[in-house]
Structure formats: structure tokens, C-alpha cells
Amino acid sequence: MNDTIPALQAALERAEAAIREKEEAVQAAQASALLLQKTFASLNEAVFIVQTGTRIITDVNKAVETLFGYTVEEIVGRSTSCLHLTEELSVRFGREMIAAYREKGFYETTYQMLRKDGTVFDSEHCVTPIHDNNGEIISHVCVVRDITGRKLSEKQLKQLNDNLELRISQAVEELRQKDAVLASQYKLLIDLAPEAIIVYDTNLDRIVDANAKAEQLFGFSREVLLTSSPLLYYTQTQPDGRPVEASFFENCSRVIAGEVLIIERAIRNASGSETVCEARLVRLPSPHSLLIRASFFDITERAKAQKELTKALAGEHRLNEEQRQFMGLVSHELRTPLSIIDGTAQLLVMTACKDKECFKHAERILSSTKRLTSLIDTCLTEERLCTSGWTPTMQSEDIRSLARNAVAQAQAQADTARHQISYSLDDLPDRYTCDSMLIQVMLNNLLDNAVKYSPEGGAINVHGWCTKRGELFFEVADQGVGIAPDQLDKAFDRFYRIWQIPGIAGAGLGLHIVKRVAELHGGTAWCKSQPGLGSTFTVSLFSNQAS
Ligand code: ADP
């Protein structure tokens, strides 16, 4: 008996513990059922529980009311067929659902559904089966989401896409048409171009396009040209004197590298005649090929004229040289007889002073020999200055004294009542490197002219100055007859004379010598003048050695 009581107590305790455990489990199950119910009720998607076979709706959540317009009471207990558009569609839905269960265990689809008020909307379905303990499907949980908005956006997006595609294809077509117009315009431009044009593909080593002028120039049809290399039409002897093949490939590489070449090419056409052309070579933009566009202008006439001009220039140069040599020779030869005539005339002046007639003639002879001697001196100076290879003797000179001497000489020869010759030479350096003899000749010529071409008299001034960088200037200004603007440059030409005043002698060499002396000293000479008012002749010297 004593043993039985504790055993009963232990059994009682175990039973109580088991009851507590059960109660706790029931409470937990109730709590999770509540949670599930809450979740079920609060879902935004409509949820249906539907019995298998009968398709009777056994439970729904609140969202069904908003989505379908039925109250919970109205819909629970009814068949799902009221939610489908037709009975046929409803049966097909069921068949597809079973097939999907077999394949993946659930069924997902988009589908059009019917509301209570008869309106239709796009929905997304997810249906999951519920099994009993034996694995048989007893019902389905069907979650329905309204996708009208999404469908609409998809539709709009598709429409947008379609519109875009349409616009793109229209734009492409427009471009294609424009391209075709451009291509035909380009073709027309090339075909009607005044020059012969070919396009050479350097990879294929053949011409790939040629215009009508090219057919004319080369004397072959376009079809023939398009099978050959331009090299075929170049003559072996080219204007640059280089082997034709070497220069051809070298030029191609330069053009392909981006250079634009303008060269002379001699072309032999189908009939064997030769044409000299100016060829302009440029690389054509092309993504897949290395193309060179070559245009040819016929310059046969120009080349011929150039050749003739060079020949004529050489001839003139030779004639000039011969003339200069002849003048030099004659001047030399004349010097001796002239000095005899001069000496005899002087003797006559002294001895025949009583015979007035004889004295007059002797004086005439004397003045003529003086003029002739001065002319010969000028010719000889010019000959020396223009002889190639001749160089001036450059030395440091007292340039101020040189200029003063020239002025003094001019003053001595001039009629001081008519010509007042002055100078301002203070701005000259003490010494300057130059050829003193030439500077003297240059200033003499300028002063002689100033006197000679001021027949009415007037002031003559010589001004000299030097810049900091050693450029030295002489300016000789007079108030004489002046020179017309269109004659100013020519006045410095050799043998050029402006026949404005009859009776003034000259050879047209003085200013030529002036300019030559200036040039030999690194400078030049020019003149400003106003007809009737006077002239100012300026020379610049730049021996660069102010000393
Ligand atoms: P020439 O005096 O021997 O004719 P030049 O070469 O010295 O030759 O001068 C060329 C021409 O320039 C002269 O014929 C003359 O008409 C013009 N000329 C030169 N110096 C002057 C000047 N100071 N005033 C006006 N004309 C001048």
C-alpha cells in the first residue's frame, strides 16, 4: 500500500504535466491561427479558398470585396464560375492548373476576370493546392492581384516602343534617301569637274573610280581604267627627274600618312601623246580602304610658257652681260683719245685766247670732253659694281667727312646763286664701316641729280643719321621738278631716263649705281616725290658695324 501511493502521485504529476503541455500547444496553435487569420485578412491581394471538384468558394479575405465588388457573405458558398468571363474559360483554367500542379506544384498565370458589376480586369493568379493527410488535393488557395495598371504601362510602353521604332525606321529611310541624293550630286560634281579625277585604292593597287575628264586625259574608257594602276599611265621620265616607280610609291605613302601633295606628273595617253599635269593628291576618308584621290590639271601650256620664259630670261641676262662688257670695253678704249682731246683743247684755250672764235670752240670741246669723261666714269663704275664676284672694300671710315666732301664738291660745281646746298650730319656716328669710294660716288650722283633736276634752282639738303642698331641713312632733298608717282620705282632701273626736261644730259645709270651701292652695303634706296615741288631720295646702309 505504501508503494502504491507514491506511484499514483508520480502518475498524477506526469498527467498534469502532459495536460499543461497540451494546453500550451493548443495556445500556441491558437496564436498562430490568429496570426494567420490576421495576415490573411490584411493582405492587399484577394485570397480565395476553393473546394476541389465542386469549385465552391469556402473562404475569402476582405480584399476580395474591393477587387471583385462582392461582400464576403455574398461570395462564400458560390462557385468560382461567377468570376470567369465564360464557362469555357473557367474549365480551361482548371485544366491548366492541374497540369501545372503536376509539373511544378503550383499554378501561375495572368488572366482576365469578371467583377460583380460586369467589368473585366487584368489579374495575376497564383494557385497552390492544399492536401489532406493522404496527399489528396482537397482545396486550393488562390491569390489574385489586379495588374490593370501594370498592363496599361506595358501597353503604353509597347506603343511607345512601336512609335520609336517607326520613327527610327522613317529617319533611317530619310537618311538613306538623302545619302542617295548626295551620292548622285557628288557623282555629278566629280563627273562635271574641269579636272581629271581618279580614286586609287592602294591595297587593291588599282583605280576604283574615274570621271569623264580622266577618260579623256588617259584616253581609255572608265571600265579599262578601273582595272589598272595609275602607274601605267605615267611616263618613265617625270618632271622631277626621279625614277617613276620609286617616286610613285613614296608619294602614295606620304599621302596615306596625311600629306596633301601638289606635284607635276607627265602622262602618256592611249595614243602615246604626253601631257604634263599638275597632280593634287589627297587621302580620302574611308573606314575600310586606303584611298587616294588624284586630280590632274593639264599644264602643258603653262610648262611650255615657263620654259620659254626661263630661256628668255637667260637670253636677256646674257645680252645684259654682253652689253656691259661692250660698254666697259668702249669706255676703256675711249679714255685715251678723250684725254688727248681734252689736253689739246686745254692747250688751245691757253694759246688761242686772243682769237675769240677759236677760244669759244676750244671751250666747247673742253666742256664736251668733261661730259664724256664723266659719262665714261659712270659706265666704268657701273660695270665694276655689277660684275659678279666683285666685292667692295669695307673699312672703318670717317663717314661725316665723306659726306661733307661730297657736299663741298657739289657746292664747288654748282651756281651758288641758284642752288643753296646745306647739310645736317650731326646724327652720324664718328666712324662707319663702308667702301669710301662707293659712298662718295653714291652721294655725288644724288647731289648731281638734285642740282641737275632743279633747273629753276632751290635749296638742297643732305641729312645723315644712324639708328641704334647700326642702320645708317642718307637723305638728299631738293625742290626740283619732281617725279611722277608711276615713274618712281623705274627711276632706279638701269638706263632708265625720264625725258621730262630737254637738254639735261644723262645715261640713266646714276640712280642704278646709287641703289647698287646701297645694296652692296646691306641696304636699299627709294624716293618720295611730288611733281613740281621736289624729290627726296633716301638710301639705307646696314653694314652692321658702326665703328
Ligand atoms: P640720268 O640722270 O643720267 O638720267 P639717273 O639714273 O641718275 O639717270 O636718273 C634716272 C631718272 O630719274 C632721270 O632721268 C630723271 O628723270 C630722274 N631723276 C633722278 N634724280 C632726280 C631728281 N633729283 N629730281 C627729279 N628727277 C630725278
Side-chain angles (χ1 to χ4, degrees), residues 449-450 452-453 478 481-483 491 496-498 500 506-512 535 537:
N449 280 352
K452 207 161 64 169
Y453 296 105
D478 64 52
V481 293
I483 301 176
Y496 191 82
R497 300 208 69 214
I498 308 166
Q500 50 199 350
L509 284 173
L511 289 182
H512 183 64
S535 315
F537 284 85

Side-chain angles (χ1 to χ4, degrees), residues 415-430:
D415 173 355
T416 44
R418 289 202 304 146
H419 296 108
Q420 301 81 45
I421 309 178
S422 60
Y423 58 80
S424 49
L425 305 169
D426 293 345
D427 297 331
L428 285 176
D430 290 339

Side-chain angles (χ1 to χ4, degrees), residues 13-27:
E13 278 168 16
R14 276 202 304 276
E16 275 173 356
I19 289 167
R20 263 198 315 274
E21 213 173 287
K22 262 279 191 302
E23 275 173 358
E24 276 168 14
V26 167
Q27 277 170 6

Side-chain angles (χ1 to χ4, degrees), residues 499-525:
W499 302 102
Q500 50 199 350
I501 309 168
I504 297 184
L509 284 173
L511 289 182
H512 183 64
I513 291 174
V514 167
K515 195 165 183 181
R516 183 78 186 126
V517 171
E519 284 168 356
L520 285 167
H521 284 80
T524 187

Side-chain angles (χ1 to χ4, degrees), residues 38-48 60-72 75 115 121 142-146:
K38 275 186 184 165
T39 316
F40 177 64
S42 65
L43 276 175
N44 281 333
E45 287 88 6
V47 184
F48 295 84
V60 293
N61 68 349
K62 264 289 192 206
V64 168
E65 289 188 350
T66 338
L67 196 55
F68 286 88
Y70 291 103
T71 62
V72 175
I75 196 75
R115 288 197 185 91
F121 70 97
C142 183
V143 180
V144 182
R145 185 182 297 138
D146 182 358

